[in-house]
Amino acid sequence: MRVWFDMEDSFGLNVDMKSSATIGIGEAAARFGLATHVLRHWESVGLLTPARVAGDRRRYGPGDLFRVAVILRAREAGLSLDEIREMIVTRAASERREILRRRRAELLRRIEQARAALGVVECALGCDHDDVTGCAHFQQAVLDRIGAPAPLAEARRPMTDDR
């Protein structure tokens, strides 16, 4: 069974570097459009382990660049740094799949929230009232949110500046 991320496999990739060449943190960060502090942070949380040379300077090889690309791809999928670290260190495919299932559930929840928000905005844009608070649909949605019986007519009047 294949590991989700195997550093040994990454060395065969063509990342525009000679197999023994390394680059400094500035060049590595620039290659991905990142600030150098991002790479330092990822190192501090255990996601990267670049080689160190004289003066404790970081050197990034092809495997390190592959790992940065993997981290960025995982971030695009919405995974947190903790989840990415779990994905990298676990050898069990079932554990990686469980992390992905949790992320999928969270993404679906967020998509549903965004759809509901879009519905509210579209309803307001489609309303003929100058003040959306005068719309019967808007008022009913507010009442439903409150969970109370319809208030007096005075409370249901549209909001105005002179109130």
Side-chain angles (χ1 to χ4, degrees):
M1 181 171 290
R2 233 177 124 73
V3 177
W4 183 74
F5 178 81
D6 187 346
M7 286 297 289
E8 299 304 317
D9 290 345
S10 69
F11 287 102
L13 293 176
N14 178 3
V15 288
D16 253 359
M17 292 175 57
K18 295 177 182 162
S19 62
S20 63
T22 61
I23 59 176
I25 190 170
E27 188 177 340
R31 189 172 286 221
F32 295 100
L34 300 170
T36 56
H37 71 85
V38 172
L39 296 180
R40 286 187 196 98
H41 176 67
W42 290 354
E43 183 180 354
S44 74
V45 298
L47 294 175
L48 294 173
T49 54
R52 298 293 183 125
V53 295
D56 206 29
R57 296 171 59 92
R58 294 166 177 85
R59 300 302 296 177
Y60 292 81
D64 298 307
L65 298 179
F66 183 81
R67 169 111 14 140
V68 171
V70 167
I71 294 167
L72 289 171
R73 183 72 173 155
R75 295 291 288 153
E76 289 168 2
L79 276 78
S80 70
L81 294 181
D82 287 337
E83 289 169 325
I84 295 168
R85 185 176 39 255
E86 285 181 67
M87 295 281 288
I88 290 172
V89 300
T90 187
R91 291 276 192 218
S94 61
E95 290 178 32
R96 290 188 303 275
R97 286 201 166 283
E98 183 53 35
I99 294 166
L100 293 173
R101 281 187 195 96
R102 286 191 314 257
R103 177 52 43 207
R104 180 181 186 274
E106 174 61 18
L107 288 171
L108 288 172
R109 184 189 66 75
R110 289 173 51 199
I111 288 168
E112 187 55 38
Q113 286 178 329
R115 284 186 179 138
L118 181 60
V120 169
V121 170
E122 287 177 340
C123 182
L125 287 173
C127 182
D128 292 334
H129 292 82
D130 288 338
D131 180 351
V132 72
T133 61
C135 174
H137 290 95
F138 179 87
Q139 291 174 0
Q140 187 58 54
V142 170
L143 292 174
D144 291 346
R145 175 62 58 98
I146 294 170
L152 300 172
E154 171 67 19
R156 291 184 65 166
R157 269 197 351 221
M159 290 186 258
T160 60
D161 292 338
D162 59 296
R163 231 186 201 201

